[in-house]
Every structure is written in structure tokens, then in C-alpha cells.
Amino acid sequence: MRVPIAILASTFVFCLAGEATATPGPLDLSTGSTGFGSTPSAGAFSDPYTFIVSSTSLVSASVISAVNGLQDVDFGAISISGPGGVFSFSQARPDPIESWVLPAVTLTPGSYTLRATGINSAAANSYGGSFAVAPIAAVTRVAPQTVGPQALVGLLDLSSGSSSFFNTPVAGSFADTFAFSLVTPGILDAALTSVQLGAQDIDFTSIDINGPAGHFLFSPLSFDPFEAWALDPASTNLIPGMYTLTVRGINSAGVGSYGGMLALSPNAAPGVVPEPDTVALLAVAGLLGMAARRRRGQR
């Protein structure tokens, strides 16, 4: 049964404080990499992200989105344009886990725009991405530092039914935690991606979701230089309660970034819709009850 988006939006209630999503705009590349993402409005969209390259550099990026129920982003084109030219992403994977990648390209100094265009469903899905830039003179692999885990807690705003999320963890081992809550049953799908470029490299070790419905694992779809992981939608029927999404891995000394998205669709609670034989038994019981009342009324 198709459920109107208005019902979907009112079904899931989440906290807005500390939200880990963002809208298109300037990219902060002070560390050499960043995650990014958006929940475009329904229909055609064109999301611009701007950044500045101060010296001749290599740039690489990836974008990912998962289909869930009525939520579906279909990209038309993703590109980077500026004084160095126009560089187009290519589709690496189609629906239901759609991903696009840009292998390392050389950009000359100047101002650039990364633009994602496409069609978003009426349910307004999200996407997430990973972006890395490295000066030509500094493109070398660097061994990761050994530091303690870092916990980043973010509350995801899924009031529209989906959300993007991203982070640039500290160098070394990390464990980033994002929290969300459900008040009614739902089916969850999710995906995330990271780009390896020069010294910037995130190697995920595990990604999972924990909560009252159980423990759900992500699986790798691809590895460096465009690492992508996704959640199995067949195993993610969630009951109401608080959940955590935890991303664990090792970040290089060049501190890479990752970006991802979550999408929820409503799911009827078990037992809400009776089986056909149950409906038949209830109908018979109702008829017998009516007959009994009539006999009592005739006495």
C-alpha cells in the first residue's frame, strides 16, 4: 500500500539539536577532505557546492544514495567545473544503491563548483558524498597514526523520511555514533562512501545499527579508491525506540572524510493486518453473534 508523504513525515519524530546534515554551499577543505550531502526538494534539483583550489591539485569524489520505498534520488549528472575545465562523474552503480564517482583529476588554482543534478521523488530522499583534494607536490601515502577512538554523537533529522550524514574523523582509529528514534515501525535503508586520494584514506572496519529491533550490519560494496558500504534492506525492519548508527575505522594521517544517507519507509506493525483466514473467522463469529441477539430479542 502506498502511504502519502504527509503521513510518513508525521510518523517519525526526531530531535533537531545537533543535526549532522547540511544543505549545498561552500565546502570546508581545510583538512584536505570533507563529507557533504543534501535532502533536495521533490522534483528536479541542482545542488551547487563551491570550493577553492589554491595550488595545482588532484581532486577525487564519490556520491551515494539508496532507494527505500517511495524515496528515490535519480541523478542526471554530477560534475566539477572551474578554470581547470569541466570534469564529469560517472555512474558506478545503479539503483537500488546508486553511486557516482570521479577518479582523480588535476585542477589548476581557482574557484570551482561541484554540482549534483537529478530528480528527487515526492518523498524527498537524501544523498551523501566524500570529497578529497591533495596538492600535486604532496600526493604520497602516509601511514595512519595510532590514537584512541573518537566518539562523535549526532542526532539525525529524519522528519522528511531521510537524511544525509558525514564527518571528517581524527587520524587513527575512530568510532562515530549518530542517533535517531522511531515512534512507529519502519523499514530502514542506508549507504555511505569514502574516497582515497594520496594521504587521505579511510578504511572502514565495521558499520552497524543497534537498537530495540536488534543488531544490523553494513556490508562493503566496493573498496579503495571509492569505498562504499550499504545496509541490507531485507533485514532492517525496525520497531519503535532509540537507535544508534556507528561507523568504525582507521583514518590516515591525511584525515579523509566520508558521507552517507539514511532512508525510512513506514511499515505496518505485525498483526495490524489480519490474515485472510482470520478475517473469515471474525466474520463467522460476527454472524453467529447477530443471530444469537435476534433469538434473544424474539423471546
Side-chain angles (χ1 to χ4, degrees):
M1 179 181 70
R2 293 184 176 274
V3 180
I5 185 59
I7 296 177
L8 174 64
S10 63
T11 300
F12 301 97
V13 179
F14 300 85
C15 297
L16 295 176
E19 124 184 38
T21 63
T23 55
L27 296 178
D28 178 9
L29 291 168
S30 57
T31 66
S33 70
T34 186
F36 63 95
S38 175
T39 303
S41 58
F45 67 89
S46 179
D47 288 351
Y49 301 85
T50 58
F51 62 96
I52 295 175
V53 173
S54 57
S55 62
T56 302
S57 302
L58 289 179
V59 169
S60 189
S62 60
V63 178
I64 199 164
S65 183
V67 176
N68 190 4
L70 300 180
Q71 298 157 330
D72 181 15
V73 166
D74 289 315
F75 295 108
I78 307 174
S79 64
I80 289 176
S81 60
V86 178
F87 305 91
S88 297
F89 288 56
S90 59
Q91 187 182 65
R93 181 182 294 271
D95 285 341
I97 308 292
E98 186 173 353
S99 65
W100 291 59
V101 300
L102 178 71
V105 296
T106 302
L107 302 187
T108 55
S111 179
Y112 289 84
T113 299
L114 186 160
R115 186 177 297 274
T117 64
I119 304 292
N120 202 355
S121 61
N125 200 16
S126 301
Y127 65 84
S130 175
F131 186 94
V133 56
I136 293 293
V139 180
T140 56
R141 291 297 294 256
V142 179
Q145 301 172 355
T146 302
V147 299
Q150 176 213 10
L152 170 70
V153 178
L155 299 180
L156 299 181
D157 174 18
L158 284 159
S159 57
S160 69
S162 69
S163 175
S164 61
F165 64 92
F166 45 83
N167 190 38
T168 303
V170 295
S173 61
F174 67 90
D176 291 352
T177 299
F178 303 86
F180 60 96
S181 62
L182 276 68
V183 295
T184 61
I187 299 173
L188 182 71
D189 202 358
L192 76 166
T193 184
S194 181
V195 172
Q196 181 271 314
L197 178 65
Q200 299 150 337
D201 182 17
I202 284 181
D203 291 314
F204 299 113
T205 55
S206 70
I207 306 168
D208 56 39
I209 288 175
N210 279 285
H215 182 214
F216 306 96
L217 295 173
F218 286 59
S219 298
L221 301 176
S222 60
F223 297 96
D224 289 340
F226 302 103
E227 190 167 351
W229 291 55
L231 187 67
D232 179 6
S235 65
T236 50
N237 287 280
L238 303 187
I239 60 176
M242 178 65 72
Y243 292 84
T244 57
L245 162 66
T246 303
V247 182
R248 301 179 183 86
I250 304 292
N251 203 354
S252 64
V255 288
S257 301
Y258 64 82
M261 52 78 64
L262 295 174
L264 282 160
S265 60
N267 181 33
V272 170
V273 180
E275 295 295 329
D277 55 349
T278 303
V279 174
L281 289 174
L282 291 174
V284 171
L287 291 173
L288 291 175
M290 290 175 60
R293 285 193 297 271
R294 287 176 180 173
R295 286 195 298 270
R296 286 196 300 267
Q298 292 173 353
R299 292 177 182 174

